[in-house]
PDB file of all heavy atoms in Angstrom:
ATOM      1  N   LEU A 142      -0.378 -13.376 -12.735  1.00  0.00           N
ATOM      2  CA  LEU A 142       0.342 -14.302 -11.859  1.00  0.00           C
ATOM      3  C   LEU A 142       0.538 -13.606 -10.522  1.00  0.00           C
ATOM      4  O   LEU A 142       1.534 -12.915 -10.295  1.00  0.00           O
ATOM      5  CB  LEU A 142       1.674 -14.700 -12.478  1.00  0.00           C
ATOM      6  CG  LEU A 142       1.582 -15.487 -13.788  1.00  0.00           C
ATOM      7  CD1 LEU A 142       2.960 -15.721 -14.378  1.00  0.00           C
ATOM      8  CD2 LEU A 142       0.863 -16.810 -13.577  1.00  0.00           C
ATOM      9  N   PHE A 143      -0.422 -13.791  -9.650  1.00  0.00           N
ATOM     10  CA  PHE A 143      -0.489 -13.057  -8.392  1.00  0.00           C
ATOM     11  C   PHE A 143       0.816 -13.133  -7.592  1.00  0.00           C
ATOM     12  O   PHE A 143       1.273 -12.125  -7.050  1.00  0.00           O
ATOM     13  CB  PHE A 143      -1.658 -13.577  -7.560  1.00  0.00           C
ATOM     14  CG  PHE A 143      -1.941 -12.772  -6.329  1.00  0.00           C
ATOM     15  CD1 PHE A 143      -2.803 -11.692  -6.378  1.00  0.00           C
ATOM     16  CD2 PHE A 143      -1.341 -13.094  -5.120  1.00  0.00           C
ATOM     17  CE1 PHE A 143      -3.071 -10.944  -5.244  1.00  0.00           C
ATOM     18  CE2 PHE A 143      -1.603 -12.353  -3.977  1.00  0.00           C
ATOM     19  CZ  PHE A 143      -2.465 -11.274  -4.043  1.00  0.00           C
ATOM     20  N   ASP A 144       1.396 -14.309  -7.513  1.00  0.00           N
ATOM     21  CA  ASP A 144       2.587 -14.517  -6.689  1.00  0.00           C
ATOM     22  C   ASP A 144       3.800 -13.735  -7.165  1.00  0.00           C
ATOM     23  O   ASP A 144       4.748 -13.538  -6.395  1.00  0.00           O
ATOM     24  CB  ASP A 144       2.950 -16.001  -6.640  1.00  0.00           C
ATOM     25  CG  ASP A 144       1.917 -16.856  -5.929  1.00  0.00           C
ATOM     26  OD1 ASP A 144       0.868 -16.320  -5.533  1.00  0.00           O
ATOM     27  OD2 ASP A 144       2.166 -18.070  -5.769  1.00  0.00           O
ATOM     28  N   GLU A 145       3.795 -13.294  -8.420  1.00  0.00           N
ATOM     29  CA  GLU A 145       4.942 -12.587  -8.975  1.00  0.00           C
ATOM     30  C   GLU A 145       4.821 -11.071  -8.857  1.00  0.00           C
ATOM     31  O   GLU A 145       5.729 -10.345  -9.258  1.00  0.00           O
ATOM     32  CB  GLU A 145       5.145 -12.980 -10.443  1.00  0.00           C
ATOM     33  CG  GLU A 145       5.495 -14.451 -10.630  1.00  0.00           C
ATOM     34  CD  GLU A 145       5.797 -14.819 -12.065  1.00  0.00           C
ATOM     35  OE1 GLU A 145       5.745 -13.916 -12.936  1.00  0.00           O
ATOM     36  OE2 GLU A 145       6.102 -15.989 -12.327  1.00  0.00           O
ATOM     37  N   TYR A 146       3.723 -10.597  -8.297  1.00  0.00           N
ATOM     38  CA  TYR A 146       3.484  -9.162  -8.225  1.00  0.00           C
ATOM     39  C   TYR A 146       3.604  -8.616  -6.810  1.00  0.00           C
ATOM     40  O   TYR A 146       3.257  -9.285  -5.826  1.00  0.00           O
ATOM     41  CB  TYR A 146       2.092  -8.827  -8.757  1.00  0.00           C
ATOM     42  CG  TYR A 146       2.009  -8.775 -10.256  1.00  0.00           C
ATOM     43  CD1 TYR A 146       1.956  -9.933 -11.011  1.00  0.00           C
ATOM     44  CD2 TYR A 146       1.993  -7.546 -10.920  1.00  0.00           C
ATOM     45  CE1 TYR A 146       1.892  -9.886 -12.392  1.00  0.00           C
ATOM     46  CE2 TYR A 146       1.917  -7.484 -12.298  1.00  0.00           C
ATOM     47  CZ  TYR A 146       1.869  -8.657 -13.027  1.00  0.00           C
ATOM     48  OH  TYR A 146       1.794  -8.600 -14.400  1.00  0.00           O
ATOM     49  N   ALA A 147       4.118  -7.403  -6.727  1.00  0.00           N
ATOM     50  CA  ALA A 147       3.995  -6.611  -5.522  1.00  0.00           C
ATOM     51  C   ALA A 147       2.686  -5.837  -5.609  1.00  0.00           C
ATOM     52  O   ALA A 147       2.207  -5.533  -6.703  1.00  0.00           O
ATOM     53  CB  ALA A 147       5.172  -5.643  -5.389  1.00  0.00           C
ATOM     54  N   PHE A 148       2.104  -5.533  -4.468  1.00  0.00           N
ATOM     55  CA  PHE A 148       0.845  -4.803  -4.444  1.00  0.00           C
ATOM     56  C   PHE A 148       0.922  -3.610  -3.508  1.00  0.00           C
ATOM     57  O   PHE A 148       1.650  -3.626  -2.516  1.00  0.00           O
ATOM     58  CB  PHE A 148      -0.301  -5.719  -4.001  1.00  0.00           C
ATOM     59  CG  PHE A 148      -0.770  -6.661  -5.057  1.00  0.00           C
ATOM     60  CD1 PHE A 148      -0.143  -7.878  -5.244  1.00  0.00           C
ATOM     61  CD2 PHE A 148      -1.841  -6.335  -5.869  1.00  0.00           C
ATOM     62  CE1 PHE A 148      -0.570  -8.757  -6.227  1.00  0.00           C
ATOM     63  CE2 PHE A 148      -2.280  -7.203  -6.852  1.00  0.00           C
ATOM     64  CZ  PHE A 148      -1.644  -8.414  -7.033  1.00  0.00           C
ATOM     65  N   GLY A 149       0.143  -2.609  -3.842  1.00  0.00           N
ATOM     66  CA  GLY A 149       0.088  -1.426  -3.009  1.00  0.00           C
ATOM     67  C   GLY A 149      -1.330  -0.926  -2.825  1.00  0.00           C
ATOM     68  O   GLY A 149      -2.212  -1.182  -3.648  1.00  0.00           O
ATOM     69  N   TRP A 150      -1.543  -0.241  -1.721  1.00  0.00           N
ATOM     70  CA  TRP A 150      -2.783   0.489  -1.475  1.00  0.00           C
ATOM     71  C   TRP A 150      -2.487   1.980  -1.571  1.00  0.00           C
ATOM     72  O   TRP A 150      -1.499   2.468  -1.000  1.00  0.00           O
ATOM     73  CB  TRP A 150      -3.360   0.181  -0.099  1.00  0.00           C
ATOM     74  CG  TRP A 150      -4.029  -1.152   0.015  1.00  0.00           C
ATOM     75  CD1 TRP A 150      -3.518  -2.285   0.548  1.00  0.00           C
ATOM     76  CD2 TRP A 150      -5.361  -1.478  -0.407  1.00  0.00           C
ATOM     77  NE1 TRP A 150      -4.437  -3.308   0.494  1.00  0.00           N
ATOM     78  CE2 TRP A 150      -5.572  -2.841  -0.094  1.00  0.00           C
ATOM     79  CE3 TRP A 150      -6.394  -0.758  -1.017  1.00  0.00           C
ATOM     80  CZ2 TRP A 150      -6.778  -3.493  -0.377  1.00  0.00           C
ATOM     81  CZ3 TRP A 150      -7.585  -1.406  -1.303  1.00  0.00           C
ATOM     82  CH2 TRP A 150      -7.766  -2.755  -0.980  1.00  0.00           C
ATOM     83  N   PHE A 151      -3.333   2.681  -2.277  1.00  0.00           N
ATOM     84  CA  PHE A 151      -3.233   4.121  -2.430  1.00  0.00           C
ATOM     85  C   PHE A 151      -4.568   4.747  -2.073  1.00  0.00           C
ATOM     86  O   PHE A 151      -5.592   4.072  -2.061  1.00  0.00           O
ATOM     87  CB  PHE A 151      -2.845   4.484  -3.866  1.00  0.00           C
ATOM     88  CG  PHE A 151      -1.471   4.015  -4.267  1.00  0.00           C
ATOM     89  CD1 PHE A 151      -1.255   2.692  -4.622  1.00  0.00           C
ATOM     90  CD2 PHE A 151      -0.398   4.890  -4.284  1.00  0.00           C
ATOM     91  CE1 PHE A 151       0.003   2.246  -4.990  1.00  0.00           C
ATOM     92  CE2 PHE A 151       0.867   4.462  -4.653  1.00  0.00           C
ATOM     93  CZ  PHE A 151       1.067   3.139  -5.004  1.00  0.00           C
ATOM     94  N   ARG A 152      -4.550   6.031  -1.796  1.00  0.00           N
ATOM     95  CA  ARG A 152      -5.796   6.714  -1.505  1.00  0.00           C
ATOM     96  C   ARG A 152      -5.778   8.115  -2.087  1.00  0.00           C
ATOM     97  O   ARG A 152      -4.735   8.717  -2.287  1.00  0.00           O
ATOM     98  CB  ARG A 152      -6.063   6.768   0.002  1.00  0.00           C
ATOM     99  CG  ARG A 152      -5.093   7.638   0.796  1.00  0.00           C
ATOM    100  CD  ARG A 152      -5.388   7.530   2.290  1.00  0.00           C
ATOM    101  NE  ARG A 152      -4.567   8.429   3.082  1.00  0.00           N
ATOM    102  CZ  ARG A 152      -4.592   8.499   4.399  1.00  0.00           C
ATOM    103  NH1 ARG A 152      -5.423   7.703   5.090  1.00  0.00           N
ATOM    104  NH2 ARG A 152      -3.807   9.357   5.046  1.00  0.00           N
ATOM    105  N   GLN A 153      -6.971   8.629  -2.339  1.00  0.00           N
ATOM    106  CA  GLN A 153      -7.091   9.956  -2.920  1.00  0.00           C
ATOM    107  C   GLN A 153      -8.324  10.657  -2.376  1.00  0.00           C
ATOM    108  O   GLN A 153      -9.428  10.117  -2.423  1.00  0.00           O
ATOM    109  CB  GLN A 153      -7.169   9.872  -4.449  1.00  0.00           C
ATOM    110  CG  GLN A 153      -7.136  11.215  -5.139  1.00  0.00           C
ATOM    111  CD  GLN A 153      -6.947  11.092  -6.636  1.00  0.00           C
ATOM    112  OE1 GLN A 153      -7.268  10.060  -7.225  1.00  0.00           O
ATOM    113  NE2 GLN A 153      -6.423  12.131  -7.251  1.00  0.00           N
ATOM    114  N   SER A 154      -8.108  11.854  -1.866  1.00  0.00           N
ATOM    115  CA  SER A 154      -9.183  12.705  -1.384  1.00  0.00           C
ATOM    116  C   SER A 154      -9.456  13.782  -2.416  1.00  0.00           C
ATOM    117  O   SER A 154      -8.576  14.120  -3.220  1.00  0.00           O
ATOM    118  CB  SER A 154      -8.804  13.349  -0.050  1.00  0.00           C
ATOM    119  OG  SER A 154      -8.541  12.368   0.938  1.00  0.00           O
ATOM    120  N   PRO A 155     -10.656  14.360  -2.412  1.00  0.00           N
ATOM    121  CA  PRO A 155     -10.973  15.411  -3.375  1.00  0.00           C
ATOM    122  C   PRO A 155      -9.974  16.561  -3.332  1.00  0.00           C
ATOM    123  O   PRO A 155      -9.639  17.054  -2.254  1.00  0.00           O
ATOM    124  CB  PRO A 155     -12.359  15.874  -2.936  1.00  0.00           C
ATOM    125  CG  PRO A 155     -12.960  14.677  -2.284  1.00  0.00           C
ATOM    126  CD  PRO A 155     -11.808  14.015  -1.567  1.00  0.00           C
ATOM    127  N   GLY A 156      -9.472  16.949  -4.491  1.00  0.00           N
ATOM    128  CA  GLY A 156      -8.539  18.049  -4.576  1.00  0.00           C
ATOM    129  C   GLY A 156      -7.107  17.709  -4.232  1.00  0.00           C
ATOM    130  O   GLY A 156      -6.251  18.602  -4.222  1.00  0.00           O
ATOM    131  N   LYS A 157      -6.824  16.450  -3.951  1.00  0.00           N
ATOM    132  CA  LYS A 157      -5.481  16.038  -3.594  1.00  0.00           C
ATOM    133  C   LYS A 157      -4.968  14.959  -4.539  1.00  0.00           C
ATOM    134  O   LYS A 157      -5.738  14.282  -5.211  1.00  0.00           O
ATOM    135  CB  LYS A 157      -5.437  15.512  -2.156  1.00  0.00           C
ATOM    136  CG  LYS A 157      -5.840  16.525  -1.104  1.00  0.00           C
ATOM    137  CD  LYS A 157      -5.792  15.928   0.291  1.00  0.00           C
ATOM    138  CE  LYS A 157      -4.393  15.510   0.684  1.00  0.00           C
ATOM    139  NZ  LYS A 157      -4.349  14.969   2.077  1.00  0.00           N
ATOM    140  N   GLU A 158      -3.664  14.814  -4.584  1.00  0.00           N
ATOM    141  CA  GLU A 158      -3.043  13.780  -5.399  1.00  0.00           C
ATOM    142  C   GLU A 158      -3.178  12.417  -4.735  1.00  0.00           C
ATOM    143  O   GLU A 158      -3.274  12.310  -3.507  1.00  0.00           O
ATOM    144  CB  GLU A 158      -1.571  14.096  -5.633  1.00  0.00           C
ATOM    145  CG  GLU A 158      -1.320  15.299  -6.516  1.00  0.00           C
ATOM    146  CD  GLU A 158      -1.809  15.075  -7.929  1.00  0.00           C
ATOM    147  OE1 GLU A 158      -1.510  14.016  -8.508  1.00  0.00           O
ATOM    148  OE2 GLU A 158      -2.510  15.955  -8.458  1.00  0.00           O
ATOM    149  N   ARG A 159      -3.180  11.395  -5.551  1.00  0.00           N
ATOM    150  CA  ARG A 159      -3.214  10.035  -5.034  1.00  0.00           C
ATOM    151  C   ARG A 159      -1.897   9.739  -4.311  1.00  0.00           C
ATOM    152  O   ARG A 159      -0.816   9.985  -4.848  1.00  0.00           O
ATOM    153  CB  ARG A 159      -3.436   9.048  -6.175  1.00  0.00           C
ATOM    154  CG  ARG A 159      -3.772   7.643  -5.722  1.00  0.00           C
ATOM    155  CD  ARG A 159      -4.195   6.768  -6.905  1.00  0.00           C
ATOM    156  NE  ARG A 159      -5.384   7.287  -7.565  1.00  0.00           N
ATOM    157  CZ  ARG A 159      -5.997   6.694  -8.579  1.00  0.00           C
ATOM    158  NH1 ARG A 159      -5.538   5.538  -9.049  1.00  0.00           N
ATOM    159  NH2 ARG A 159      -7.069   7.252  -9.126  1.00  0.00           N
ATOM    160  N   GLU A 160      -1.987   9.205  -3.103  1.00  0.00           N
ATOM    161  CA  GLU A 160      -0.808   8.961  -2.307  1.00  0.00           C
ATOM    162  C   GLU A 160      -0.738   7.509  -1.852  1.00  0.00           C
ATOM    163  O   GLU A 160      -1.758   6.856  -1.631  1.00  0.00           O
ATOM    164  CB  GLU A 160      -0.771   9.875  -1.080  1.00  0.00           C
ATOM    165  CG  GLU A 160      -1.893   9.640  -0.092  1.00  0.00           C
ATOM    166  CD  GLU A 160      -1.814  10.549   1.111  1.00  0.00           C
ATOM    167  OE1 GLU A 160      -1.163  11.610   1.029  1.00  0.00           O
ATOM    168  OE2 GLU A 160      -2.419  10.211   2.159  1.00  0.00           O
ATOM    169  N   GLY A 161       0.471   7.031  -1.706  1.00  0.00           N
ATOM    170  CA  GLY A 161       0.678   5.664  -1.261  1.00  0.00           C
ATOM    171  C   GLY A 161       0.364   5.490   0.205  1.00  0.00           C
ATOM    172  O   GLY A 161       0.698   6.344   1.029  1.00  0.00           O
ATOM    173  N   VAL A 162      -0.261   4.387   0.533  1.00  0.00           N
ATOM    174  CA  VAL A 162      -0.607   4.044   1.906  1.00  0.00           C
ATOM    175  C   VAL A 162       0.309   2.951   2.430  1.00  0.00           C
ATOM    176  O   VAL A 162       0.935   3.087   3.483  1.00  0.00           O
ATOM    177  CB  VAL A 162      -2.073   3.596   2.005  1.00  0.00           C
ATOM    178  CG1 VAL A 162      -2.393   3.084   3.408  1.00  0.00           C
ATOM    179  CG2 VAL A 162      -3.005   4.737   1.621  1.00  0.00           C
ATOM    180  N   ALA A 163       0.393   1.865   1.694  1.00  0.00           N
ATOM    181  CA  ALA A 163       1.209   0.728   2.082  1.00  0.00           C
ATOM    182  C   ALA A 163       1.445  -0.142   0.864  1.00  0.00           C
ATOM    183  O   ALA A 163       0.688  -0.092  -0.105  1.00  0.00           O
ATOM    184  CB  ALA A 163       0.530  -0.084   3.187  1.00  0.00           C
ATOM    185  N   CYS A 164       2.486  -0.939   0.913  1.00  0.00           N
ATOM    186  CA  CYS A 164       2.739  -1.882  -0.163  1.00  0.00           C
ATOM    187  C   CYS A 164       3.352  -3.147   0.403  1.00  0.00           C
ATOM    188  O   CYS A 164       3.890  -3.151   1.508  1.00  0.00           O
ATOM    189  CB  CYS A 164       3.627  -1.274  -1.259  1.00  0.00           C
ATOM    190  SG  CYS A 164       5.324  -0.892  -0.747  1.00  0.00           S
ATOM    191  N   ILE A 165       3.270  -4.211  -0.381  1.00  0.00           N
ATOM    192  CA  ILE A 165       3.755  -5.508   0.070  1.00  0.00           C
ATOM    193  C   ILE A 165       4.319  -6.271  -1.117  1.00  0.00           C
ATOM    194  O   ILE A 165       3.764  -6.250  -2.219  1.00  0.00           O
ATOM    195  CB  ILE A 165       2.623  -6.294   0.765  1.00  0.00           C
ATOM    196  CG1 ILE A 165       3.147  -7.584   1.393  1.00  0.00           C
ATOM    197  CG2 ILE A 165       1.481  -6.578  -0.212  1.00  0.00           C
ATOM    198  CD1 ILE A 165       2.133  -8.233   2.334  1.00  0.00           C
ATOM    199  N   VAL A 166       5.440  -6.946  -0.892  1.00  0.00           N
ATOM    200  CA  VAL A 166       6.081  -7.713  -1.953  1.00  0.00           C
ATOM    201  C   VAL A 166       5.708  -9.183  -1.828  1.00  0.00           C
ATOM    202  O   VAL A 166       4.996  -9.587  -0.907  1.00  0.00           O
ATOM    203  CB  VAL A 166       7.609  -7.535  -1.932  1.00  0.00           C
ATOM    204  CG1 VAL A 166       7.985  -6.076  -2.144  1.00  0.00           C
ATOM    205  CG2 VAL A 166       8.197  -8.042  -0.607  1.00  0.00           C
ATOM    206  N   ARG A 167       6.201  -9.967  -2.754  1.00  0.00           N
ATOM    207  CA  ARG A 167       5.814 -11.370  -2.827  1.00  0.00           C
ATOM    208  C   ARG A 167       6.167 -12.163  -1.571  1.00  0.00           C
ATOM    209  O   ARG A 167       5.466 -13.116  -1.224  1.00  0.00           O
ATOM    210  CB  ARG A 167       6.442 -12.027  -4.052  1.00  0.00           C
ATOM    211  CG  ARG A 167       7.962 -11.938  -4.090  1.00  0.00           C
ATOM    212  CD  ARG A 167       8.514 -12.250  -5.471  1.00  0.00           C
ATOM    213  NE  ARG A 167       8.128 -13.577  -5.939  1.00  0.00           N
ATOM    214  CZ  ARG A 167       8.495 -14.097  -7.105  1.00  0.00           C
ATOM    215  NH1 ARG A 167       9.258 -13.385  -7.932  1.00  0.00           N
ATOM    216  NH2 ARG A 167       8.089 -15.311  -7.452  1.00  0.00           N
ATOM    217  N   SER A 168       7.228 -11.785  -0.891  1.00  0.00           N
ATOM    218  CA  SER A 168       7.653 -12.482   0.315  1.00  0.00           C
ATOM    219  C   SER A 168       6.823 -12.124   1.539  1.00  0.00           C
ATOM    220  O   SER A 168       6.887 -12.807   2.555  1.00  0.00           O
ATOM    221  CB  SER A 168       9.117 -12.182   0.610  1.00  0.00           C
ATOM    222  OG  SER A 168       9.293 -10.833   0.990  1.00  0.00           O
ATOM    223  N   GLY A 169       6.068 -11.040   1.444  1.00  0.00           N
ATOM    224  CA  GLY A 169       5.296 -10.569   2.572  1.00  0.00           C
ATOM    225  C   GLY A 169       5.883  -9.360   3.259  1.00  0.00           C
ATOM    226  O   GLY A 169       5.230  -8.759   4.127  1.00  0.00           O
ATOM    227  N   ALA A 170       7.101  -8.975   2.901  1.00  0.00           N
ATOM    228  CA  ALA A 170       7.690  -7.760   3.447  1.00  0.00           C
ATOM    229  C   ALA A 170       6.886  -6.552   2.984  1.00  0.00           C
ATOM    230  O   ALA A 170       6.392  -6.523   1.855  1.00  0.00           O
ATOM    231  CB  ALA A 170       9.140  -7.627   3.016  1.00  0.00           C
ATOM    232  N   SER A 171       6.765  -5.561   3.845  1.00  0.00           N
ATOM    233  CA  SER A 171       5.894  -4.434   3.550  1.00  0.00           C
ATOM    234  C   SER A 171       6.529  -3.095   3.895  1.00  0.00           C
ATOM    235  O   SER A 171       7.472  -3.018   4.681  1.00  0.00           O
ATOM    236  CB  SER A 171       4.574  -4.580   4.304  1.00  0.00           C
ATOM    237  OG  SER A 171       4.793  -4.667   5.701  1.00  0.00           O
ATOM    238  N   ASN A 172       5.991  -2.052   3.305  1.00  0.00           N
ATOM    239  CA  ASN A 172       6.362  -0.676   3.594  1.00  0.00           C
ATOM    240  C   ASN A 172       5.101   0.140   3.810  1.00  0.00           C
ATOM    241  O   ASN A 172       4.066  -0.136   3.208  1.00  0.00           O
ATOM    242  CB  ASN A 172       7.178  -0.077   2.446  1.00  0.00           C
ATOM    243  CG  ASN A 172       8.538  -0.711   2.304  1.00  0.00           C
ATOM    244  OD1 ASN A 172       9.317  -0.736   3.244  1.00  0.00           O
ATOM    245  ND2 ASN A 172       8.828  -1.234   1.117  1.00  0.00           N
ATOM    246  N   TYR A 173       5.204   1.156   4.662  1.00  0.00           N
ATOM    247  CA  TYR A 173       4.061   1.989   4.994  1.00  0.00           C
ATOM    248  C   TYR A 173       4.403   3.463   4.916  1.00  0.00           C
ATOM    249  O   TYR A 173       5.553   3.855   5.126  1.00  0.00           O
ATOM    250  CB  TYR A 173       3.574   1.709   6.416  1.00  0.00           C
ATOM    251  CG  TYR A 173       3.031   0.321   6.640  1.00  0.00           C
ATOM    252  CD1 TYR A 173       3.875  -0.735   6.958  1.00  0.00           C
ATOM    253  CD2 TYR A 173       1.665   0.065   6.526  1.00  0.00           C
ATOM    254  CE1 TYR A 173       3.376  -2.010   7.162  1.00  0.00           C
ATOM    255  CE2 TYR A 173       1.160  -1.203   6.727  1.00  0.00           C
ATOM    256  CZ  TYR A 173       2.018  -2.240   7.047  1.00  0.00           C
ATOM    257  OH  TYR A 173       1.518  -3.498   7.245  1.00  0.00           O
ATOM    258  N   ARG A 174       3.399   4.262   4.628  1.00  0.00           N
ATOM    259  CA  ARG A 174       3.539   5.682   4.826  1.00  0.00           C
ATOM    260  C   ARG A 174       3.766   5.883   6.319  1.00  0.00           C
ATOM    261  O   ARG A 174       3.015   5.351   7.142  1.00  0.00           O
ATOM    262  CB  ARG A 174       2.287   6.416   4.351  1.00  0.00           C
ATOM    263  CG  ARG A 174       2.290   7.911   4.604  1.00  0.00           C
ATOM    264  CD  ARG A 174       1.120   8.587   3.897  1.00  0.00           C
ATOM    265  NE  ARG A 174       1.290   8.579   2.455  1.00  0.00           N
ATOM    266  CZ  ARG A 174       1.965   9.494   1.776  1.00  0.00           C
ATOM    267  NH1 ARG A 174       2.536  10.518   2.399  1.00  0.00           N
ATOM    268  NH2 ARG A 174       2.080   9.401   0.455  1.00  0.00           N
ATOM    269  N   ALA A 175       4.788   6.642   6.654  1.00  0.00           N
ATOM    270  CA  ALA A 175       5.231   6.748   8.037  1.00  0.00           C
ATOM    271  C   ALA A 175       4.115   7.150   8.992  1.00  0.00           C
ATOM    272  O   ALA A 175       4.012   6.621  10.103  1.00  0.00           O
ATOM    273  CB  ALA A 175       6.393   7.730   8.134  1.00  0.00           C
ATOM    274  N   SER A 176       3.279   8.073   8.564  1.00  0.00           N
ATOM    275  CA  SER A 176       2.234   8.585   9.436  1.00  0.00           C
ATOM    276  C   SER A 176       1.126   7.573   9.720  1.00  0.00           C
ATOM    277  O   SER A 176       0.351   7.758  10.658  1.00  0.00           O
ATOM    278  CB  SER A 176       1.625   9.851   8.831  1.00  0.00           C
ATOM    279  OG  SER A 176       1.049   9.587   7.565  1.00  0.00           O
ATOM    280  N   LEU A 177       1.071   6.519   8.933  1.00  0.00           N
ATOM    281  CA  LEU A 177       0.010   5.525   9.071  1.00  0.00           C
ATOM    282  C   LEU A 177       0.466   4.239   9.748  1.00  0.00           C
ATOM    283  O   LEU A 177      -0.369   3.425  10.158  1.00  0.00           O
ATOM    284  CB  LEU A 177      -0.576   5.182   7.704  1.00  0.00           C
ATOM    285  CG  LEU A 177      -1.186   6.348   6.925  1.00  0.00           C
ATOM    286  CD1 LEU A 177      -1.691   5.873   5.574  1.00  0.00           C
ATOM    287  CD2 LEU A 177      -2.314   6.983   7.719  1.00  0.00           C
ATOM    288  N   LYS A 178       1.760   4.056   9.834  1.00  0.00           N
ATOM    289  CA  LYS A 178       2.284   2.838  10.424  1.00  0.00           C
ATOM    290  C   LYS A 178       1.823   2.715  11.871  1.00  0.00           C
ATOM    291  O   LYS A 178       1.912   3.649  12.649  1.00  0.00           O
ATOM    292  CB  LYS A 178       3.806   2.823  10.345  1.00  0.00           C
ATOM    293  CG  LYS A 178       4.413   1.476  10.677  1.00  0.00           C
ATOM    294  CD  LYS A 178       5.906   1.467  10.408  1.00  0.00           C
ATOM    295  CE  LYS A 178       6.503   0.085  10.646  1.00  0.00           C
ATOM    296  NZ  LYS A 178       7.957   0.060  10.351  1.00  0.00           N
ATOM    297  N   GLY A 179       1.314   1.540  12.203  1.00  0.00           N
ATOM    298  CA  GLY A 179       0.794   1.296  13.533  1.00  0.00           C
ATOM    299  C   GLY A 179      -0.714   1.224  13.556  1.00  0.00           C
ATOM    300  O   GLY A 179      -1.289   0.550  14.421  1.00  0.00           O
ATOM    301  N   ARG A 180      -1.364   1.910  12.637  1.00  0.00           N
ATOM    302  CA  ARG A 180      -2.821   1.860  12.517  1.00  0.00           C
ATOM    303  C   ARG A 180      -3.273   0.983  11.366  1.00  0.00           C
ATOM    304  O   ARG A 180      -4.317   0.343  11.445  1.00  0.00           O
ATOM    305  CB  ARG A 180      -3.405   3.260  12.337  1.00  0.00           C
ATOM    306  CG  ARG A 180      -3.264   4.162  13.551  1.00  0.00           C
ATOM    307  CD  ARG A 180      -4.188   5.369  13.436  1.00  0.00           C
ATOM    308  NE  ARG A 180      -3.857   6.217  12.296  1.00  0.00           N
ATOM    309  CZ  ARG A 180      -4.690   6.501  11.297  1.00  0.00           C
ATOM    310  NH1 ARG A 180      -5.923   6.011  11.294  1.00  0.00           N
ATOM    311  NH2 ARG A 180      -4.302   7.294  10.306  1.00  0.00           N
ATOM    312  N   PHE A 181      -2.495   0.975  10.295  1.00  0.00           N
ATOM    313  CA  PHE A 181      -2.857   0.220   9.096  1.00  0.00           C
ATOM    314  C   PHE A 181      -1.923  -0.978   8.932  1.00  0.00           C
ATOM    315  O   PHE A 181      -0.725  -0.884   9.207  1.00  0.00           O
ATOM    316  CB  PHE A 181      -2.744   1.098   7.849  1.00  0.00           C
ATOM    317  CG  PHE A 181      -3.807   2.155   7.725  1.00  0.00           C
ATOM    318  CD1 PHE A 181      -4.600   2.528   8.795  1.00  0.00           C
ATOM    319  CD2 PHE A 181      -4.007   2.783   6.503  1.00  0.00           C
ATOM    320  CE1 PHE A 181      -5.573   3.505   8.662  1.00  0.00           C
ATOM    321  CE2 PHE A 181      -4.980   3.760   6.361  1.00  0.00           C
ATOM    322  CZ  PHE A 181      -5.759   4.124   7.437  1.00  0.00           C
ATOM    323  N   THR A 182      -2.474  -2.087   8.469  1.00  0.00           N
ATOM    324  CA  THR A 182      -1.687  -3.283   8.213  1.00  0.00           C
ATOM    325  C   THR A 182      -2.056  -3.872   6.859  1.00  0.00           C
ATOM    326  O   THR A 182      -3.227  -4.152   6.599  1.00  0.00           O
ATOM    327  CB  THR A 182      -1.912  -4.348   9.298  1.00  0.00           C
ATOM    328  OG1 THR A 182      -1.603  -3.807  10.588  1.00  0.00           O
ATOM    329  CG2 THR A 182      -1.020  -5.561   9.041  1.00  0.00           C
ATOM    330  N   ILE A 183      -1.053  -4.049   6.016  1.00  0.00           N
ATOM    331  CA  ILE A 183      -1.267  -4.652   4.713  1.00  0.00           C
ATOM    332  C   ILE A 183      -0.882  -6.131   4.771  1.00  0.00           C
ATOM    333  O   ILE A 183       0.051  -6.516   5.472  1.00  0.00           O
ATOM    334  CB  ILE A 183      -0.455  -3.915   3.622  1.00  0.00           C
ATOM    335  CG1 ILE A 183      -0.873  -4.383   2.226  1.00  0.00           C
ATOM    336  CG2 ILE A 183       1.042  -4.095   3.838  1.00  0.00           C
ATOM    337  CD1 ILE A 183      -0.271  -3.542   1.099  1.00  0.00           C
ATOM    338  N   SER A 184      -1.622  -6.951   4.046  1.00  0.00           N
ATOM    339  CA  SER A 184      -1.327  -8.372   3.995  1.00  0.00           C
ATOM    340  C   SER A 184      -1.807  -8.939   2.673  1.00  0.00           C
ATOM    341  O   SER A 184      -2.552  -8.282   1.936  1.00  0.00           O
ATOM    342  CB  SER A 184      -1.964  -9.122   5.172  1.00  0.00           C
ATOM    343  OG  SER A 184      -3.376  -9.013   5.131  1.00  0.00           O
TER     344      SER A 184
END
């Protein structure tokens, strides 16, 4: 049920842990990794 889920984007480079990039809730409100805000947009 897509509308009931929050979604996130994560990324992982070789030798590093998977880290959060951005996420978005059902209403459209979003959060970003501070260093990426302004360059990346989740929708």
Side-chain angles (χ1 to χ4, degrees):
L142 296 175
F143 188 89
D144 294 4
E145 296 184 1
Y146 280 78
F148 284 86
W150 284 100
F151 295 79
R152 67 184 185 182
Q153 187 169 24
S154 300
K157 299 179 63 178
E158 291 295 312
R159 192 171 299 183
E160 64 179 21
V162 173
C164 66
I165 187 168
V166 299
R167 58 196 302 181
S168 68
S171 58
N172 292 304
Y173 295 86
R174 176 171 290 274
S176 60
L177 301 178
K178 192 173 184 179
R180 293 196 297 121
F181 288 16
T182 303
I183 190 171
S184 62

